[in-house]
Amino acid sequence: MDTSEGQARPPRRIRNPQRTRQAIVDALLSAVKEGEIAPTARHIAQRAGVSERSVFVHFRDLDDLRLAVARQQAERVAKLVTPIPQEWPLEKRLDTLLAQQEEVFALQTRVRIAALVHAQESPALAAVMAETNRKYRARLAEVFAPELSAVDEAAGAELLDILEPVLGWPFRYHLSEQRGADRERVTRAARRTVLAVLREKG
């Protein structure tokens, strides 16, 4: 076999760093969606098809990786959210919001559980979740501005305290995951609750 210096060597395959990073993020995300709340770096690496060392080349630690997943999820949620004109009738605004929230919940379910667990020990992740919650509350205040403007500030804040969990993740998770309700039943329950609350207005 010719091993002379002039012989061409097979080209070395160079992995794209951006693709490797994304593969690691996707690996953690897929593991969590399958119910693994805290997969190890080794398991994440195996899923991504990279070495365990590569995980820590691209991320400082697992907390940094979880933050990357949280930010990616936030971007994906943002793409599911479209503006809802305030001039629409209440029921049309509510139905549009509920349809969007169904899609958001399908994207978030197990990822949200994992985030809640890890946020207990991660101030950075807790901050990301707090900002997400703040933006969601602000969105509800905008969508239901016509109804909220009919009451004083304190009453409006109380209404948002009710709307936030009912239209958000907690209500849907409880009924679907804890009570076994299907998607349509959950949406009907949320719709009925919101209409009753807003029409009563405290």
Side-chain angles (χ1 to χ4, degrees), residues 127-197:
V128 170
M129 295 187 69
E131 177 63 11
T132 298
N133 292 338
R134 185 196 67 76
K135 289 180 178 179
Y136 182 62
R137 187 179 176 96
R139 173 169 166 75
L140 294 180
E142 181 179 344
V143 171
F144 298 110
E147 290 72 33
L148 297 175
S149 65
V151 299
D152 61 35
E153 185 176 350
E158 289 181 0
L159 286 173
L160 284 172
D161 288 343
I162 299 171
L163 296 176
E164 195 172 353
V166 170
L167 289 168
W169 187 85
F171 187 88
R172 193 168 289 274
Y173 176 79
H174 173 73
L175 287 185
S176 63
E177 300 295 321
Q178 304 297 318
R179 303 296 298 171
D182 62 24
R183 180 169 170 166
E184 291 75 17
R185 178 181 168 188
V186 176
T187 295
R188 285 198 307 271
R191 187 179 193 276
R192 182 176 181 179
T193 302
V194 171
L195 289 176
V197 167

